[in-house]
């Protein structure tokens, strides 16, 4: 949550718009019920008095909100060492001259990523050219089609120049082109068109069935998980957090969807 979002600036220090903040926090809570507000971020080199002022306004939402400071103007030493340009700070109370004040101290952190995130970052870093066998195959097909297109354009340009009289006619090349054109299937022939449409329909039908099968497998997995959660709820009375989560999933699918899944499960 940024220190600029939902805040208004006064002559001294920025003031947090608590009405906007509470409304946005409630919206996030509805979308991500398992997450909660634990801190905010800002763009700066180091924490300042402005950050302390905002921190004191956010204590009502969390007793010790963390501060993540993004440092876009990192030093060359940080770039060479591979250190990410941000630091985490946690608030603490310092007593000086018999008076207490809020200060920030740098906190250690560890970045954890899931398998899906690592694959996405790796694919982005490589430009998506080596993301898998399918991508490599499509790249090869694209290069072959582009080469064929360029060569066809060259032949069309040569024939056009021969017709216009700007290029010297080579009868051997023209005979080869005539033979090549004659060997191509007649796309306007009614039998060719009928066979082409049949093959196209078969391909589209196969693609549709493949998509339908994949969707059915996903739905079967959901049914299995729902049955498992239902059996656990009957055994334990449905008082654990995981069972409540399973109940919400069942309610989200809807009564009609549940009836369909129960029929498939049978």
């Amino acid at each position: 949550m940024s220190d600029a979002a939902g805040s208004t600036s006064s002559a001294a220090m920025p003031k947090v718009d608590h009405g906007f903040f509470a409304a946005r926090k409630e919206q996030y809570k509805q979308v991500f019920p398992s997450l909660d507000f634990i801190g905010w971020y800002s763009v700066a080199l180091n924490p300042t008095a402005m950050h302390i002022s905002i921190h004191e306004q956010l204590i009502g939402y969390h007793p010790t909100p963390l501060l993540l400071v993004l440092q876009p103007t990192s030093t060359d030493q940080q770039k060479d060492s591979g250190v990410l340009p941000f630091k985490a700070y946690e608030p603490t109370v310092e007593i000086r001259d018999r008076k207490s004040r809020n200060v920030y101290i740098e906190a250690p952190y560890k970045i954890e990523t899931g398998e899906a995130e690592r694959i996405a970052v790796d694919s982005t870093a490589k430009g998506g050219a080596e993301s898998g066998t399918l991508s490599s195959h499509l790249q090869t097909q694209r290069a072959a089609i582009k080469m064929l297109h360029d060569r066809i354009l060259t032949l069309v340009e040569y024939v056009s120049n021969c017709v216009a009289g700007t290029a010297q006619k080579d009868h051997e090349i023209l005979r080869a082109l005539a033979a090549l054109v004659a060997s191509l299937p007649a796309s306007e022939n009614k039998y060719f068109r009928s066979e082409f449409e049949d093959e196209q329909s078969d391909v589209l039908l196969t693609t549709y069935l493949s998509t339908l099968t994949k969707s059915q497998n996903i739905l079967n997995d959901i049914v299995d998980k729902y049955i498992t959660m239902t059996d656990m709820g009957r055994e334990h009375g449905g008082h654990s957090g995981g069972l409540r989560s399973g109940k919400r999933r069942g309610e989200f699918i809807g009564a009609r969807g549940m009836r369909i899944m129960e029929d498939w499960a049978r």
Side-chain angles (χ1 to χ4, degrees):
M1 188 169 299
S2 172
D3 58 341
S7 62
T8 58
S9 298
S10 64
M13 291 294 178
K15 301 295 183 180
V16 176
D17 187 346
H18 292 282
F20 175 84
F21 185 91
R24 183 57 60 90
K25 182 174 179 290
E26 182 64 23
Q27 292 173 356
Y28 274 102
K29 195 67 176 177
Q30 294 176 2
V31 180
F32 307 102
S34 61
L35 304 182
D36 200 357
F37 169 77
I38 61 172
W40 56 291
Y41 71 88
S42 178
V43 179
L45 293 178
N46 296 294
T48 62
M50 180 192 69
H51 299 98
I52 297 296
S53 174
I54 297 177
H55 161 74
E56 293 175 350
Q57 300 176 61
L58 297 177
I59 292 179
Y61 303 98
H62 193 280
T64 56
L66 299 176
L67 171 62
L68 183 66
V69 175
L70 307 180
Q71 301 171 324
T73 57
S74 57
T75 62
D76 295 336
Q77 183 179 1
Q78 289 177 324
K79 296 178 181 179
D80 296 338
S81 61
V83 179
L84 295 176
F86 62 80
K87 292 183 179 180
Y89 294 89
E90 59 181 350
T92 185
V93 178
E94 182 183 57
I95 299 177
R96 179 179 296 182
D97 298 333
R98 298 182 178 181
K99 295 182 179 180
S100 62
R101 63 170 186 168
N102 293 317
V103 295
Y104 276 111
I105 60 174
E106 187 173 350
Y109 63 88
K110 179 181 179 182
I111 299 177
E112 296 184 357
T113 58
E115 186 67 22
E117 294 175 326
R118 287 194 292 269
I119 293 175
V121 172
D122 182 67
S123 176
T124 303
K126 294 180 179 179
E130 299 177 3
S131 58
T133 306
L134 177 60
S135 178
S136 177
H137 174 71
L138 293 177
Q139 290 289 337
T140 303
Q141 294 293 327
R142 182 182 182 277
I145 293 174
K146 185 178 182 301
M147 183 182 297
L148 176 61
H149 181 262
D150 293 340
R151 293 183 178 182
I152 291 176
L153 290 179
T154 301
L155 295 175
V156 171
E157 182 180 2
Y158 171 72
V159 173
S160 299
N161 292 336
C162 289
V163 173
T166 58
Q168 185 178 0
K169 295 182 180 181
D170 189 326
H171 295 284
E172 183 177 356
I173 295 178
L174 294 176
R175 285 194 296 269
L177 287 175
L180 177 62
V181 173
S183 64
L184 297 176
S187 59
E188 299 302 327
N189 187 284
K190 62 178 181 179
Y191 299 106
F192 170 81
R193 178 59 58 181
S194 176
E195 184 177 355
F196 175 79
E197 291 177 352
D198 291 340
E199 291 183 1
Q200 184 183 27
S201 299
D202 292 341
V203 171
L204 294 177
L205 181 60
T206 302
T207 305
Y208 175 77
L209 291 177
S210 176
T211 305
L212 186 61
T213 302
K214 183 178 180 180
S215 302
Q216 184 178 357
N217 291 333
I218 296 175
L219 186 58
N220 286 336
D221 292 339
I222 296 176
V223 171
D224 294 338
K225 293 178 182 179
Y226 174 78
I227 293 176
T228 302
M229 298 301 294
T230 303
D231 294 341
M232 292 175 59
R234 292 172 181 173
E235 294 175 0
H236 301 286
H239 296 292
S240 65
L243 297 179
R244 290 195 296 269
S245 177
K247 182 179 180 181
R248 286 197 297 269
R249 291 193 187 96
E251 293 175 351
F252 175 77
I253 294 173
R256 182 179 180 183
M258 294 309 305
R259 287 197 298 269
I260 295 176
M261 289 192 296
E262 289 175 356
D263 293 337
W264 281 18
R266 295 192 185 98

